[in-house]
Amino acid sequence: MISLLWLIPVLPLTGFLLLAFFGGRLSRWQIASVGCGSVGTAAVTTAIVAADFFRTFPDQESYHQTLWNWIDTSGMTVGISWYLDALSLLMVAVITGVGFLIHVYSAEYMAHDDGYARFFAYMNLFVSAMLTLVLADNLLLLYLGWEGVGLCSYLLIGFWYREPEYGTAAQKAFIVTRIGDTAFAIGLFILFTQFASLSIQQVQSRAVEAWPVGSNLAMIVAVLFLIGAVGKSAQLPLQVWLPDAMAGPTPVSALIHAATMVTAGVYLIARMHHLFALAPMVQEVIAVLGLVTLLLAASSAVVQTDIKRVLAYSTMSQIGYMFLALGVGAWSAALFHFLTHSCFKALLFLAAGSVIHSLHHEQDIFKMGGLRRHLPWTFWTFLIGAAAMSGVPLITSGFYSKDWILWSVWSSPISHRWIWFGALFGAMLTGLYSFRLIFRVFFGEVRTQPAGEPGLAMRGPLVVLAFLALTVGFLEMPHTLGNVTVFSDYLSHALPTTELLPGIDESSEAREQLAVTVAALLGIGLAALLFLPGSLFTSRWADQSTDHPSMTLLQGGWGFDRLYDRLFVRPWFTLTRYPHDMLDRGYEWLAVCGKSCHGWMSYTQTGHVRWYAATIAVGTLMLLGLFAM
Amino acid sequence: MLSTPALVLAIMLFALGLIGLLSRRNILYMLLSLEIMLNAAALAFIAGGARWGQVDGEIMFLFILTLAAAEVSVALGIVLQLSHRFRTLDADAFCELRG
Amino acid sequence: MEILFYIAAAVSFLATVRVITHVHPVHALLYLVVALIALALIFYLLGAQFAAALEIIIYGGAIMVLFIFVVMLLGPLAVEQERTWMTPHAWVGPSILALVLLGEVGYLIAAGDHTGSVIAETRQKGISIALYGPYIIGVELASMLLLPGLIGAYHLGRRLSREGRGC
Amino acid sequence: MGLWLLILIPILAAPFAWMGQQWSHHAPRWIAIGALAVDCLLALLLGSRDHAVQASGHGAWLVESHIGWIPRWGISLHLGLDGLSFILIILTAFIGVVAILASWTEIQSRIGLFHCHVLLALGGVIGVFLAIDLFLFFFFWELMLVPMYLLIVIWGHAQRRHASFKFFLFTQAGSLVLLVAIVALALLHQQATGHPSFDYADLMELTLGSEMARWLMLAFLIGFLVKLPAPPFHTWLPDTYTEAPTGATIILAGILAKTGAYGLLRFTIPLFPEAMSDFTPIVMGLGVVGILYAAVLACAQTDIKRLVAYSSISHMGFILLGAFAGTELALQGVVMQMVAHGLSTGGLFLLAGALEERYQTREMGQMGGLWSVTPRLATMALFFACASLGLPGMANFVGEFLVLFGSYATQPIMIILVSFGMVMAAIYSLGMMQRTFFGRQQDTRSVPDLSNVAFGTVLLIAVLQIWLGLYPKAVLSTTQPVMEQLVRAAGALPTLSHAPTESLWSSHIVALQGDTP
């Protein structure tokens, strides 16, 4: 049954093709069933494949399937072939599972939109491309999925194409990520030139053989791959596209810009961990980038007014945690945070979508409030999501994953203490901005009257995700709390286990966990203090003055947009202002010269026959004279 | 024995024809001058033929004659057209082909 | 013989000068005819009797007649000159020159030198053989030249008459 | 004889297409399509028969036809079909049909003459792809030009005179240089052996002095670069592509540009391998400049057809880059890029032409928001924009990436520069989509969507794009022997190396292991 693997990406693709060609002729109900059904069957297939995979699991760590040879010429052999191991199975499970829930949710959320079929077509295409990305056996096929998800992201951000700003946001997302993709592609060129192969496993085993740790080429390739990952995962310095990407419909933000696509960078680095292990300096860079991004994004999230932008910045910040974990070599911790994050962030986005839906597409949190009683389902699920994101201890999944990351940072031999403190501060900020949202949106007086609780198709996924956001964390619990290691045992077959500093013991782990708990609770408490209506400082902070320079700086994501505008965008527009070809000017000049010469010569053409006769005579005489000489 | 003076005469006639061609503005005179020049050329051929006792000179004369006939028939047709159109025989008036 | 040549040369030269200097086309044409006849005489003296005959028949005859026709067709343009064309001094000059040539021809007949005709016969044969032998291409070309001449003249003349009617 | 039929079918069908106008409007169209379809089938038949590869001279010809013509000057009617020409002839016939389908509604005057010219031009192109006698090659090279010129000047748009004149001047100047070089080669052959020869195989064996070889190589290079086109000879292209009627533009972009690339592969490289070695970096540099320069200009355009035209120049840069990279992989990429570019620009020009036909303007500023008005057109435009920006899974991607993979070993810096072109490709392709189909609607006229004929045509191209994008073997396995031979022929070049192989890799490992303590 494991040979059904190829069906997993093909099923959503079939859905896409059906919707693309016959979408116009299907009823809404049929569209939704095709759209959700294709992803749902993919999820079921995943379950079947996974069952088969686990049957033989520890003995046979990976499963390889080649459909056909994609490129097979002149020393290059690349197949359309799938590679299933613990890591990709995890990704596939998340993509199909969360993807299915979001599809179901969208069936109701998008119900009144003109482009219903188009929406599901794009979403199905996205799922297919994302599955290709994670299942790819070779880097070229991975690149196919990589670009494919980029395209779908572009299409879905610009889904409401009549708004020019949305189009700009979509283009921005595609172009910024394309810069990363290009670096990634150059990395592929180098790897292929060196190892005559693009198979992920082969390349890495050859790299380990050929390159010593810290060798130049390994560093260069790792940096190039990192740029690619940074672009996709919206990390510094290519993070600017993600907040604008919120222009797309909310389920898109949930699926693409929270749960799956933006974590592709994490997947890439984890997938290429042998390579990154050869470049320890690059790993440090990853850790620092992750830390800086998580702090910048978290601080920006605190002051955003648009509910989706808050979540966008929080996504950047959470992916920053994953990068941090990758940077310190805690591969499994990063993936664990990916798992919990995709549950609670998808939940948060969907719940936010539910809020937006019932408030008639109002996204400004200052125009919300008091929704607790009107939208109880939404409130409770949102609360669970926010709690998980802030890492409320013991009961939420976010706590276990974040704790694991911070513990790894604390105990890793390739980390520094200040990184840990930074991450801890980030955890505090996470609590602050998560609960700022809760208090702003669900407490206080009602500013916009909601239309009422959404229907079953939207509530169902919310509840399932809320359940997951609470329970997924129990897959991995630290020594101090039960010592469950299901997740790390499972992933240890695909990723190396985290190294610990010598001499670290359980008591220090308990102390560290206490610090994380305190930080998260401190953040929540601060949020309550500052934003809970009726509390001490709320009146002073309620009419947050947004024109203060530091506030604008924070709201604009630390001014990166403006910086890039000055550095790249404006020079580029200056460069492309004139549609004229300078080389063509040269030829035109030649033509003008020829024309004027011709004009000058044509004065000799008087039209007088006698003049012509005379010139003939003179010419003849001159020729005769020439012969005479 | 007579060929040398005949050649001299040919040159003189040719020069006269050229002078006529260049100096007269009346298109009819220009055609006459052309005929003179053609004749001068024919004379030169005949003289050459006589000098070497060969028939080629006369054959060339025949060709020149043919050429002249064809030329004159077309040229006079053109003269008629031009005079009809421009109401003048002034060759300088027919300068629509100038650059 | 030589003196005959020089006289004929002088006649043709003078007549040619008058052709290019005269103001009346008909006068000029008359002078040109004289010049052509003088040339024909010179051809004869150079031993090209056939050429001489053609010169008179085709050049002095056919081509010049064409010119005359055209001058007459151009009537309206030259109508005021019509009267002056027929004044005595218009034909006095050509007549004198023609008389000189007539005298020359008379002298030649009187001298009774008929050997030329025999030579002419053999030469004629040579010309014909050469013309339809090595020069056959030339003859073909000449015919190709004459055909467009014919068509061109016809076409140009026809256009004129049609436009004339149109006016 | 089959090879001659390939050339003669379109040429002989041309007068019938002309006459067909008397019978019905559609008769010329069907005659032209029929002729091309028969041609295509014939080519498939000839190419797919199991031939023993004839090892005559330097060509591994699948089919060869040799008839004497003017023996005194060493000119013969020598045609040869190998994998490369096979692929290109199929492409020619296919794009020809696409061009005819694209003109279905646009061409309403002198329909018969239009299709007559199209068939003549295509016959010339097929002749170019088959001729391996240089004199014959040049004959066809010129034959395809005149009908193209007439197509532009008779059925073109407002500025057609200027454009067609420019087109003719540039291409003729290039041809002239080429002619001089061809004649010089024949004369050099006479010097060396006592009798002149225009035959490919004979000329391959000719050894030239290095100075002479360099000049002749330059002449061949320029002749083909003009057609390709590569900077600085590209400026005829935007004007021509913009002003030509859609069908002619598709032929120009889809096929005629390929004749330049074909010439480079068939003649310039194998005839002057030594002389090329000095020029390889310069020519590859030209390719890089072409890719980047044209991409920047494409971003600056406001006229949709000019945008596509510049993007087309940009894509042709990859061909130049790969053709001179000297690795088999890059050469295979070039072939793929030729086919892919033919398909993608063909599709884009078809759509741009359809837009122009509907709105009587090419200015993207006056469009916008057309997605809801013409959804089919918009969807297909999106598809081809993706193809043009090199989205994986499409044939363009395979072409571009094979070129890049193949050239990286020899010219890493250039490839890194070219990679910026990929970002720019995204900018102009998406910019085109945004300004034309997304955003607010400027022109509220309701216009018909793509007709069934046009939609079917575009869909067919799209399916081919995907098929070749996911299964490029269909093309690559056909041309692989040819490219192997080409690399061998150019093997004298010191700068060139083969694509990395297993053995190379292991030696690399050994060397590295030797270094590390």
Side-chain angles (χ1 to χ4, degrees), chain D residues 91 143 296 319 367 441 444:
Chain D
L91 180 76
L143 179 65
V296 170
I319 289 179
M367 302 177 191
Q441 206 174 332
T444 48

mmCIF file with all atom_site columns, all heavy atoms in Angstrom, chain D residues 91 143 296 319 367 441 444:
data_model
loop_
_atom_site.group_PDB
_atom_site.id
_atom_site.type_symbol
_atom_site.label_atom_id
_atom_site.label_alt_id
_atom_site.label_comp_id
_atom_site.label_asym_id
_atom_site.label_entity_id
_atom_site.label_seq_id
_atom_site.pdbx_PDB_ins_code
_atom_site.Cartn_x
_atom_site.Cartn_y
_atom_site.Cartn_z
_atom_site.occupancy
_atom_site.B_iso_or_equiv
_atom_site.pdbx_formal_charge
_atom_site.auth_seq_id
_atom_site.auth_comp_id
_atom_site.auth_asym_id
_atom_site.auth_atom_id
_atom_site.pdbx_PDB_model_num
ATOM 1  N N   . LEU D 1 91  ? 8.906   21.444 -35.119 1.00 0.00 ? 91  LEU D N   1
ATOM 2  C CA  . LEU D 1 91  ? 8.532   22.710 -34.480 1.00 0.00 ? 91  LEU D CA  1
ATOM 3  C C   . LEU D 1 91  ? 8.020   23.693 -35.526 1.00 0.00 ? 91  LEU D C   1
ATOM 4  O O   . LEU D 1 91  ? 7.010   24.376 -35.315 1.00 0.00 ? 91  LEU D O   1
ATOM 5  C CB  . LEU D 1 91  ? 9.743   23.293 -33.748 1.00 0.00 ? 91  LEU D CB  1
ATOM 6  C CG  . LEU D 1 91  ? 9.489   24.620 -33.047 1.00 0.00 ? 91  LEU D CG  1
ATOM 7  C CD1 . LEU D 1 91  ? 8.711   24.397 -31.780 1.00 0.00 ? 91  LEU D CD1 1
ATOM 8  C CD2 . LEU D 1 91  ? 10.777  25.342 -32.739 1.00 0.00 ? 91  LEU D CD2 1
ATOM 9  N N   . LEU D 1 143 ? 15.395  32.820 -49.145 1.00 0.00 ? 143 LEU D N   1
ATOM 10 C CA  . LEU D 1 143 ? 14.035  32.516 -49.586 1.00 0.00 ? 143 LEU D CA  1
ATOM 11 C C   . LEU D 1 143 ? 13.025  32.784 -48.479 1.00 0.00 ? 143 LEU D C   1
ATOM 12 O O   . LEU D 1 143 ? 11.926  33.243 -48.733 1.00 0.00 ? 143 LEU D O   1
ATOM 13 C CB  . LEU D 1 143 ? 13.948  31.049 -50.026 1.00 0.00 ? 143 LEU D CB  1
ATOM 14 C CG  . LEU D 1 143 ? 12.570  30.590 -50.483 1.00 0.00 ? 143 LEU D CG  1
ATOM 15 C CD1 . LEU D 1 143 ? 12.173  31.327 -51.750 1.00 0.00 ? 143 LEU D CD1 1
ATOM 16 C CD2 . LEU D 1 143 ? 12.543  29.107 -50.729 1.00 0.00 ? 143 LEU D CD2 1
ATOM 17 N N   . VAL D 1 296 ? 15.769  44.101 -18.498 1.00 0.00 ? 296 VAL D N   1
ATOM 18 C CA  . VAL D 1 296 ? 15.536  45.441 -17.946 1.00 0.00 ? 296 VAL D CA  1
ATOM 19 C C   . VAL D 1 296 ? 14.602  46.216 -18.858 1.00 0.00 ? 296 VAL D C   1
ATOM 20 O O   . VAL D 1 296 ? 13.636  46.854 -18.418 1.00 0.00 ? 296 VAL D O   1
ATOM 21 C CB  . VAL D 1 296 ? 16.880  46.186 -17.786 1.00 0.00 ? 296 VAL D CB  1
ATOM 22 C CG1 . VAL D 1 296 ? 16.636  47.637 -17.467 1.00 0.00 ? 296 VAL D CG1 1
ATOM 23 C CG2 . VAL D 1 296 ? 17.712  45.546 -16.709 1.00 0.00 ? 296 VAL D CG2 1
ATOM 24 N N   . ILE D 1 319 ? 20.146  30.775 -25.235 1.00 0.00 ? 319 ILE D N   1
ATOM 25 C CA  . ILE D 1 319 ? 20.591  29.935 -26.346 1.00 0.00 ? 319 ILE D CA  1
ATOM 26 C C   . ILE D 1 319 ? 22.039  30.249 -26.675 1.00 0.00 ? 319 ILE D C   1
ATOM 27 O O   . ILE D 1 319 ? 22.879  29.361 -26.842 1.00 0.00 ? 319 ILE D O   1
ATOM 28 C CB  . ILE D 1 319 ? 19.669  30.154 -27.552 1.00 0.00 ? 319 ILE D CB  1
ATOM 29 C CG1 . ILE D 1 319 ? 18.316  29.531 -27.255 1.00 0.00 ? 319 ILE D CG1 1
ATOM 30 C CG2 . ILE D 1 319 ? 20.286  29.595 -28.810 1.00 0.00 ? 319 ILE D CG2 1
ATOM 31 C CD1 . ILE D 1 319 ? 17.312  29.685 -28.334 1.00 0.00 ? 319 ILE D CD1 1
ATOM 32 N N   . MET D 1 367 ? -5.408  48.991 -20.444 1.00 0.00 ? 367 MET D N   1
ATOM 33 C CA  . MET D 1 367 ? -6.106  47.745 -20.122 1.00 0.00 ? 367 MET D CA  1
ATOM 34 C C   . MET D 1 367 ? -6.241  47.655 -18.609 1.00 0.00 ? 367 MET D C   1
ATOM 35 O O   . MET D 1 367 ? -6.229  48.648 -17.929 1.00 0.00 ? 367 MET D O   1
ATOM 36 C CB  . MET D 1 367 ? -5.312  46.564 -20.660 1.00 0.00 ? 367 MET D CB  1
ATOM 37 C CG  . MET D 1 367 ? -5.103  46.654 -22.151 1.00 0.00 ? 367 MET D CG  1
ATOM 38 S SD  . MET D 1 367 ? -4.100  45.285 -22.703 1.00 0.00 ? 367 MET D SD  1
ATOM 39 C CE  . MET D 1 367 ? -3.736  45.772 -24.369 1.00 0.00 ? 367 MET D CE  1
ATOM 40 N N   . GLN D 1 441 ? -10.558 47.856 -13.848 1.00 0.00 ? 441 GLN D N   1
ATOM 41 C CA  . GLN D 1 441 ? -10.814 47.820 -15.280 1.00 0.00 ? 441 GLN D CA  1
ATOM 42 C C   . GLN D 1 441 ? -10.818 49.236 -15.844 1.00 0.00 ? 441 GLN D C   1
ATOM 43 O O   . GLN D 1 441 ? -11.549 50.097 -15.381 1.00 0.00 ? 441 GLN D O   1
ATOM 44 C CB  . GLN D 1 441 ? -12.161 47.151 -15.512 1.00 0.00 ? 441 GLN D CB  1
ATOM 45 C CG  . GLN D 1 441 ? -12.256 46.508 -16.839 1.00 0.00 ? 441 GLN D CG  1
ATOM 46 C CD  . GLN D 1 441 ? -13.547 45.749 -16.958 1.00 0.00 ? 441 GLN D CD  1
ATOM 47 O OE1 . GLN D 1 441 ? -14.095 45.287 -15.974 1.00 0.00 ? 441 GLN D OE1 1
ATOM 48 N NE2 . GLN D 1 441 ? -14.026 45.640 -18.175 1.00 0.00 ? 441 GLN D NE2 1
ATOM 49 N N   . THR D 1 444 ? -14.199 49.709 -20.187 1.00 0.00 ? 444 THR D N   1
ATOM 50 C CA  . THR D 1 444 ? -15.355 48.940 -19.745 1.00 0.00 ? 444 THR D CA  1
ATOM 51 C C   . THR D 1 444 ? -16.111 48.316 -20.908 1.00 0.00 ? 444 THR D C   1
ATOM 52 O O   . THR D 1 444 ? -17.169 47.739 -20.708 1.00 0.00 ? 444 THR D O   1
ATOM 53 C CB  . THR D 1 444 ? -16.302 49.829 -18.946 1.00 0.00 ? 444 THR D CB  1
ATOM 54 O OG1 . THR D 1 444 ? -16.491 51.030 -19.696 1.00 0.00 ? 444 THR D OG1 1
ATOM 55 C CG2 . THR D 1 444 ? -15.744 50.161 -17.588 1.00 0.00 ? 444 THR D CG2 1
#
